[in-house]
Amino acid sequence: MMQNETERHFEMNDLDQRMRDAYRDGQPVLSKARAAAARHKSFLIACALVSLIAVLLAILTS
């Protein structure tokens, strides 16, 4: 009986460690500079798309 409980204990510890490792590996951490650069790039892309749509609408309605 004690052997079975010991095995379960080690299995649960191994499972807990694997879950912590999977969580850590699955959560990329961006630096503030990289996050700001990504926001800036997204903003520029959005502005370009809005400008393109405005030009296309101007061409189509004239």
Side-chain angles (χ1 to χ4, degrees), residues 21-40:
D21 292 343
Y23 179 78
R24 183 190 66 233
D25 294 342
Q27 301 292 322
V29 177
L30 293 177
S31 67
K32 288 184 180 181
R34 286 186 71 181
R39 279 192 305 271
H40 182 69

Side-chain angles (χ1 to χ4, degrees), residues 2 9 11-12 19-21 30-31 33 41 48 50 52 58:
M2 186 67 166
H9 177 75
E11 287 174 3
M12 290 303 292
M19 288 174 61
R20 282 191 295 271
D21 292 343
L30 293 177
S31 67
K41 186 176 182 180
V50 168
L52 180 63

